[in-house]
């Protein structure tokens, strides 16, 4: 039986930890709240006392004092997709590092009714701030009209009036992907975009178009997928069977995998016959055959910047209104020079 249960009828409080560790009540508080002005030795002693006594912070009492729940609410949709799922992971990691919990509620659909009900659910649970992962136009239109009474940050490549937002510069990512193919000598470059109502898909397409226009090139064929490998496979077959494009920028890595299968079935060798650039730098992309050239999004930085904006708002500061995080090109084996036969034409 633990010492605190046998010697005390009540659960241990902060004063018990202080007495056990031989430090002040204020020192215990600093350790619990990760204050930097605590020596490593003192922190170790206090943490050992906390573990031995089984002390747990009284969250309800703390909320009465601070009037904060130390919880952030996240409104999300399509969490099965790579981007939204990893955005949420980045938020959770950043929130945890700042001493906040995250309460996530998935949207059953993107209707105004569903979004408002989800926001009201979070507000009823007294969250200190809200994050809305907003990859689609319908979500943005609704949050522009919200007035939740707590700080709200939208994540996505959006331009919503009056809404703080943070996102990866998706258009820049599309431009980097396409420019890499142009630099390899390709002149007929296709694009397989994501669903047309997704803002990220629209921005990546604009980047493709802008890079081609800057190089004086006409846009190649444009096909539309749904982010899945299956849709990439179908689009890849249609592209290979009906065009003589030597390169394709695909709007995510999963669809790129489908295009690779289509190329294999058509007995094309990558990148000798066809170069492919994806988007996301998913963990598996470096193990495709050949390894996939792709655009990396820094989801950890996205989470840090989002939570930082929220905490500034919670503290009453004037945070940045809009933040854009730069993507990076990761060059691997799926891209190479334009085929020699076409170079001579």
């Amino acid at each position: 039986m633990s010492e605190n249960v046998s010697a005390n009828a009540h659960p241990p409080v902060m004063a018990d930890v202080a007495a056990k560790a031989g430090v002040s009540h204020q020192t215990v508080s600093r350790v619990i709240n990760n204050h930097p002005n605590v020596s490593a030795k003192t922190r170790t002693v206090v943490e050992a006392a906390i573990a031995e006594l089984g002390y747990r912070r009284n969250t309800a009492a703390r909320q009465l004092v601070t009037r904060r729940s130390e919880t952030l609410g996240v409104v999300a949709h399509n969490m099965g997709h790579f981007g939204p799922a990893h955005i949420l992971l980045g938020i959770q990691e950043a929130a945890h590092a700042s001493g906040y919990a995250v309460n996530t509620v998935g949207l059953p659909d993107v209707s105004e009714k569903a979004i408002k009900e989800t926001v009201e659910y979070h507000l009823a649970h007294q969250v200190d701030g809200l994050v809305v992962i907003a990859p689609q136009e319908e979500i943005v239109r609704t949050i522009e009209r919200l007035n939740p009474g707590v700080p709200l940050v939208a994540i996505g490549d959006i331009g919503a009036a009056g809404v703080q937002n943070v996102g990866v510069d998706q258009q820049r990512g599309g431009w980097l992907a396409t420019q890499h193919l142009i630099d390899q000598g390709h002149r007929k470059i296709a694009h397989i975009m994501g669903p047309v109502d997704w803002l990220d898909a629209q921005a990546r397409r604009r980047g493709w178009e802008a890079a081609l226009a800057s190089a004086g090139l006409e846009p190649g064929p444009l096909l539309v997928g749904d982010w899945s490998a299956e849709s990439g496979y179908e689009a890849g077959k249609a592209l290979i069977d009906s065009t003589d494009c030597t390169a394709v920028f695909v709007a995510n890595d999963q669809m790129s995998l489908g295009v690779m299968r289509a190329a294999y079935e058509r007995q094309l060798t990558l990148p000798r016959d066809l170069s492919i650039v994806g988007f996301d730098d998913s963990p598996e992309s470096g193990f495709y055959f050949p390894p996939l050239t792709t655009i990396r999004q820094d989801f950890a930085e996205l989470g840090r910047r989002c939570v930082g904006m929220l905490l500034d708002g919670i503290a009453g500061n004037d945070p940045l209104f809009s933040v854009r995080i730069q993507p990076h090109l990761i060059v691997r084996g799926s891209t190479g020079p334009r085929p020699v036969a076409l170079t001579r034409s």
Side-chain angles (χ1 to χ4, degrees):
M1 184 175 292
S2 65
E3 178 180 333
N4 61 293
V5 173
S6 60
N8 302 294
H10 62 81
V13 296
M14 196 177 293
D16 298 327
V17 176
K20 182 73 176 178
V23 298
S24 67
H25 181 281
Q26 290 82 358
T27 298
V28 175
S29 177
R30 291 191 189 101
V31 171
I32 292 171
N33 291 290
N34 294 314
H35 196 283
N37 295 335
V38 179
S39 70
K41 181 179 179 180
T42 299
R43 186 178 299 276
T44 299
V45 170
V46 172
E47 289 175 347
I50 289 172
E52 184 175 343
L53 294 176
Y55 168 77
R56 289 179 175 81
R57 178 160 53 176
N58 189 331
T59 304
R62 180 177 173 81
Q63 289 178 16
L64 288 174
V65 174
T66 64
R67 297 186 178 181
R68 294 178 184 168
S69 66
E70 296 183 341
T71 301
L72 304 178
V74 176
V75 179
H77 185 52
N78 284 310
M79 295 308 296
H81 290 297
F82 179 85
H86 282 73
I87 289 170
L88 177 59
L89 181 61
I91 293 168
Q92 290 172 331
E93 290 176 348
H96 178 74
S98 300
Y100 273 73
V102 173
N103 186 11
T104 304
V105 177
L107 292 171
D109 55 65
V110 295
S111 67
E112 182 174 356
K113 178 176 181 291
I115 295 167
K116 287 185 174 180
E117 286 178 352
T118 302
V119 168
E120 287 300 324
Y121 170 86
H122 281 306
L123 296 177
H125 286 76
Q126 299 183 335
V127 296
D128 296 331
L130 284 167
V131 181
V132 180
I133 301 176
Q136 291 162 284
E137 294 173 334
E138 294 91 335
I139 298 176
V140 175
R141 286 196 292 267
T142 298
I143 63 176
E144 283 182 314
R145 299 189 291 270
L146 290 179
N147 184 23
V150 298
L152 182 152
V153 173
I155 291 187
D157 199 342
I158 69 174
V163 179
Q164 284 185 277
N165 67 92
V166 57
V168 174
D169 189 338
Q170 303 290 334
Q171 182 167 328
R172 173 67 176 171
W175 187 93
L176 287 171
T178 309
Q179 187 61 48
H180 171 66
L181 294 170
I182 294 170
D183 291 343
Q184 292 290 313
H186 295 279
R187 295 297 175 263
K188 295 183 178 180
I189 303 171
H191 179 43
I192 301 174
M193 71 177 291
V196 294
D197 64 331
W198 281 62
L199 299 169
D200 288 354
Q202 296 171 13
R204 294 170 195 177
R205 173 184 173 175
R206 290 195 300 270
W208 168 70
E209 293 170 334
L212 292 173
S214 295
L217 300 174
E218 292 293 325
L222 173 66
L223 296 92
V224 179
D226 62 9
W227 301 127
S228 70
E230 181 180 1
S231 71
Y233 172 66
E234 295 299 332
K237 288 192 296 183
L239 180 70
I240 294 167
D241 291 346
S242 61
T243 74
D244 58 353
C245 290
T246 62
V248 55
F249 162 43
V250 188
N252 77 336
D253 292 349
Q254 284 180 290
M255 291 195 297
S256 296
L257 180 61
V259 176
M260 286 181 164
R261 175 177 170 180
Y264 174 79
E265 290 181 354
R266 265 60 177 173
Q267 298 183 336
L268 299 184
T269 299
L270 307 180
R272 186 191 67 190
D273 301 315
L274 181 69
S275 286
I276 301 174
V277 180
F279 205 108
D280 281 336
D281 191 28
S282 60
E284 301 85 6
S285 62
F287 297 91
Y288 289 1
F289 186 76
L292 183 65
T293 295
T294 187
I295 301 297
R296 175 177 295 165
Q297 303 190 76
D298 191 340
F299 293 111
E301 178 65 13
L302 189 66
R304 286 191 291 269
R305 299 299 292 271
C306 173
V307 171
M309 291 173 76
L310 277 178
L311 296 186
D312 277 344
I314 292 168
N317 302 326
D318 293 325
L320 294 173
F321 190 79
S322 181
V323 173
R324 284 293 169 270
I325 297 167
Q326 292 304 303
H328 301 282
L329 174 69
I330 307 300
V331 178
R332 298 192 181 106
S334 68
T335 53
R338 183 169 57 143
V340 174
L342 292 177
T343 303
R344 292 172 180 168
S345 63

